[in-house]
Amino acid sequence: MCLIAFKDPSESLTGFHSLVVQSPTFSNFIRLTELIPIAQNTFNSTFTTLMGTVTSLFFCSLAGFAFAKYKFPGRNFLFYFLLATMLVPAEVGAVPLFIIMKKVNLINSLWSLIIPKIATAIGIFYMNQYISDVPDELIEAARIDGCTDFQIYWKVILPIIKPALASWGAVTLISRWNDFFWPLLFLRKQAKYTLIVTISLLPISEGLSTPWPVIMAGTTLVIIPIIVLYLILERFQKAGSFAGAVKG
């Protein structure tokens, strides 16, 4: 894919010949910028991905902390009801969610991609399982020192669960960057599209031929950043997967 992105359209794109780039060129990327507002779409993807990940980490960890360390009426029922929602495909709620977004005037807004997934059942479950291993003595000691509930969460819990936050953050980043269904549903103008959507809408033919090098150039721009990001965060994912106890 990456090699074809730098090939001239006149070169062969089939078989092993696709791996040979005779005359490397950036013309496909230049052509891509002429077809779509690549800078604006990249900003849209970056904004929704980063903002969505930060808010998801905050609310999922906050809810996970509440379920793990606080006893209140109906806690078990609410937690198991939350887990039960994982059995329902997200697409089932597409129509009612679209109606809600329309009533609050968020259609064609980037916030429509962020707000509905601020807290997810699987994220809350993951954080709950991790925070449950934090000793209650730490929380009691912080409360004796005069910390409020939110200060306990912010100053005690968050530093301890950094591996879990890094692991879930990496998964959320990749998921939100690759999100296709919801942007296609909520966004109506090309200037508002995320990168993954606008690349999918590239013209599939110019005259009698399909501009595969241009399409591959666009796909390369979508794939490379998330691959690099995953390689950077991979060690944090492993830490989050295997770290199950509090040291010290």
Side-chain angles (χ1 to χ4, degrees), residues 5-248:
F6 291 95
K7 292 170 70 76
D8 187 271
S10 61
E11 297 183 31
S12 176
L13 305 178
T14 60
F16 289 104
H17 295 291
S18 63
L19 301 178
V20 179
V21 182
Q22 298 176 351
S23 302
T25 177
F26 285 94
S27 61
N28 298 317
F29 293 92
I30 296 174
R31 176 59 178 160
L32 186 66
T33 61
E34 296 172 351
L35 292 173
I36 59 176
I38 193 73
Q40 181 62 47
N41 295 149
T42 301
F43 169 80
N44 296 342
S45 287
T46 303
F47 175 78
T48 56
T49 298
L50 295 181
M51 184 62 70
T53 299
V54 170
T55 53
S56 179
L57 286 176
F58 175 74
F59 286 103
C60 286
S61 60
L62 191 62
F65 170 56
F67 278 119
K69 295 302 180 182
Y70 288 90
K71 295 182 179 180
F72 52 89
R75 182 185 68 167
N76 291 335
F77 171 79
L78 287 176
F79 185 68
Y80 289 122
F81 179 80
L82 181 72
L83 296 184
T85 63
M86 296 170 58
L87 301 175
V88 182
E91 291 76 11
V92 172
V95 173
L97 187 57
F98 181 88
I99 294 174
I100 293 173
M101 292 295 104
K102 185 177 180 180
K103 288 185 177 180
V104 296
N105 296 321
L106 287 181
I107 295 298
N108 206 42
S109 170
L110 296 180
W111 288 104
S112 64
L113 307 180
I114 299 173
I115 294 176
K117 295 191 292 183
I118 274 183
T120 60
I122 188 172
I124 295 173
F125 172 74
Y126 179 79
M127 291 299 173
N128 173 78
Q129 296 302 104
Y130 203 97
I131 295 174
S132 295
D133 292 334
V134 178
D136 293 335
E137 290 77 9
L138 288 176
I139 298 176
E140 293 301 325
R143 187 171 283 115
I144 292 174
D145 289 338
C147 290
T148 63
D149 291 336
F150 187 79
Q151 286 176 328
I152 293 173
Y153 160 76
W154 191 260
K155 296 182 178 181
V156 178
I157 297 298
L158 287 187
I160 293 176
I161 65 170
K162 281 182 179 179
L165 293 174
S167 179
W168 182 247
V171 174
T172 306
L173 278 170
I174 294 173
S175 174
R176 286 185 174 271
W177 180 269
N178 290 330
D179 194 7
F180 177 78
F181 178 77
W182 298 110
L184 192 64
L185 180 65
F186 292 137
L187 304 180
R188 289 290 177 267
K189 296 180 180 179
Q190 190 175 41
K192 291 290 187 178
Y193 285 160
T194 57
L195 196 57
I196 200 81
V197 172
T198 197
I199 294 299
S200 71
L201 298 178
L202 282 172
I204 60 174
S205 64
E206 292 183 348
L208 299 177
S209 62
T210 299
W212 288 115
V214 176
I215 295 175
M216 293 299 103
T219 309
T220 299
L221 290 180
V222 172
I223 298 299
I224 294 300
I226 206 64
I227 292 178
V228 173
L229 182 64
Y230 177 79
L231 293 176
I232 293 174
L233 296 177
E234 184 180 16
R235 57 176 179 169
F236 296 108
Q237 280 189 301
K238 291 180 179 179
S241 298
F242 297 107
V246 180
K247 298 180 180 179

